[in-house]
Amino acid sequence: MQINKYYLAALSSFIIWGFFSLALKPLHDYPSLDILFYRVFLATVLLLIINLIFRKKIIKNDLQILKNLETSQKYKAIFLTAFGGLLLILNWFLFIYAVNHVSLKSASFAYLICPVITTILAFFILKEKLSYWQWFSLFLCIISCAILSFGHLSDLFYSLTIAISFALYLISQKNNKFDRFVVLTVQMVIATILILPFFPFYSGQIPSEPIFYILLIVIVVLFTIIPLFLNLFALKGINSSTVGILMYTNPLINFTLAILYFKEDINQIQIIAYTLILISVIIFNERFFFKKK
């Protein structure tokens, strides 16, 4: 198997998400719900503008495809798209809350667990096959996660919920046959409809600082629309398990930032665990790194 555009799209999305904390950390003084509200609203507006102005033909084509589906397939497509929007909202809120109010480690640990959960779910739900080397890679990942969870069990609830929500999102969107950008837009509209009734009651004062809106635009464009589209696009051409294992790029970057930029303490156990993760990623993708004649 050769590295293709779908593989590169998935890898790029997780590299981008690896730097998300650089834009999110400066907003730690703002309530997590406020960040979520404005992120979803702004993303929805931008996506609607792009689609309604530049992608009308694609929208019409998708509507025609939906119209031609059998009733059961039509309901299934609508349900999976709506379910994806709900999962994104849950994932985003918990991630923002974990980074700003629990710990960066709990958020990072979520994306250490997520590839394992995604791979296992893909095996049982989507019937995606794994080689012996890939199962061994998965075993190494589980060991490394167990090492990192030692002494941080209090953060495990947030980590598991974040991980499961995103794993289910990847699995549920694998067989979505519609245009990925249109799917993302519909999911953002659904997310907006879901959280809009809560905005008047749970939002704080409207932020007046320009830095809030500058960072929010960066988060929406660079850390939301672009990587999510790349992720959905990647699912068209590679297995969910491969997308899941590439997710380890995210915590590896977070780990590097925590040491070099945020100056967090590091110990030998963490070094061993992250080294195991790096080895497991290489083993899982041995078909890409070591081409067989």
Side-chain angles (χ1 to χ4, degrees), residues 25-192:
K25 267 292 187 181
L27 297 176
H28 70 276
D29 290 332
Y30 297 92
S32 299
L33 271 176
D34 278 4
I35 300 172
L36 177 67
F37 285 141
Y38 288 103
R39 182 187 185 186
V40 172
F41 295 155
L42 183 56
T44 303
V45 170
L46 287 176
L47 285 168
L48 283 173
I49 291 173
I50 293 171
N51 276 286
L52 294 176
I53 293 178
F54 302 106
R55 310 181 87 245
K56 291 182 180 179
K57 290 183 179 180
I58 296 175
I59 294 175
K60 290 180 180 178
N61 182 60
D62 275 1
L63 288 173
Q64 189 61 44
I65 293 174
L66 181 64
K67 184 179 179 181
N68 293 335
L69 289 176
E70 296 180 1
T71 303
S72 59
Q73 292 179 328
K74 188 180 299 183
Y75 285 133
K76 181 180 179 181
I78 293 172
F79 170 78
L80 289 177
T81 302
F83 186 54
L86 179 63
L87 289 172
L88 279 180
I89 284 295
L90 177 63
N91 180 263
W92 289 0
F93 172 72
L94 288 172
F95 181 81
I96 292 169
Y97 184 84
V99 169
N100 286 346
H101 301 288
V102 182
S103 69
L104 183 57
K105 289 179 181 178
S106 66
S108 298
F109 187 56
Y111 289 101
L112 292 175
I113 305 172
C114 191
V116 176
I117 295 174
T118 302
T119 303
I120 293 173
L121 288 177
F123 177 77
F124 286 105
I125 298 175
L126 300 178
K127 309 301 180 184
E128 294 182 357
K129 296 181 180 179
L130 297 174
S131 68
Y132 291 115
W133 281 112
Q134 288 174 326
W135 278 115
F136 178 66
S137 169
L138 192 62
F139 177 69
L140 288 181
C141 292
I142 293 173
I143 291 176
S144 63
C145 289
I147 293 172
L148 288 170
S149 66
F150 185 77
H152 298 281
L153 293 179
S154 60
D155 296 344
L156 193 58
F157 170 76
Y158 293 100
S159 300
L160 280 173
T161 310
I162 293 170
I164 292 171
S165 62
F166 196 72
L168 286 173
Y169 176 75
L170 289 177
I171 296 297
S172 66
Q173 301 309 299
K174 170 61 180 175
N175 294 321
N176 198 321
K177 303 301 182 183
F178 298 98
D179 178 82
R180 300 297 175 163
F181 205 81
V182 172
V183 168
L184 181 58
T185 303
V186 173
Q187 289 174 341
M188 287 296 94
V189 171
I190 291 170
T192 297

